[in-house]
Amino acid sequence: MNWTDIQEISIYEFMGQKFIGLKLEDTDHFMSQQSGLKKWLMRMNKGMVQAPVNIAQSAISISLEELYVMMVSTWQRARE
């Protein structure tokens, strides 16, 4: 996935846990490139949460807000 494939980056909460969600320009194309369990999990996410690609606070060692700021900055530069 390239930064230009991302349509929106947001922080949201689901079931008491914070996530960074990525909405993609072409979710179906991205999902078609995935295999097995990853594709199944993304399909399940698509119906339950705000974005098909998600990063959970519990999966990273820095704060979600800090990662969000870095991601948005890089994403904005890539879209210029």
Side-chain angles (χ1 to χ4, degrees):
M1 174 179 1
N2 295 316
W3 287 103
T4 55
D5 295 334
I6 300 170
Q7 183 180 66
E8 181 182 332
I9 303 173
S10 61
I11 294 180
Y12 69 94
E13 190 171 319
F14 180 71
M15 296 183 71
Q17 186 169 347
K18 282 185 158 182
F19 294 85
I20 293 176
L22 306 177
K23 290 185 182 177
L24 307 176
E25 295 290 346
D26 189 349
T27 301
D28 292 332
H29 175 71
F30 181 75
M31 287 179 65
S32 73
Q33 296 176 332
Q34 307 310 308
S35 61
L37 180 61
K38 190 172 185 179
K39 183 185 279 189
W40 181 81
L41 288 170
M42 287 181 67
R43 237 186 264 130
M44 300 309 295
N45 279 346
K46 193 174 177 183
M48 293 176 25
V49 294
Q50 297 180 8
V53 178
N54 301 281
I55 303 167
Q57 173 64 71
S58 62
I60 59 175
S61 59
I62 63 173
S63 77
L64 204 65
E65 290 77 10
E66 186 178 350
L67 178 59
Y68 172 79
V69 168
M70 290 188 297
M71 289 178 71
V72 168
S73 175
T74 302
W75 174 60
Q76 288 174 336
R77 282 193 310 269
R79 293 178 69 89
E80 293 176 349

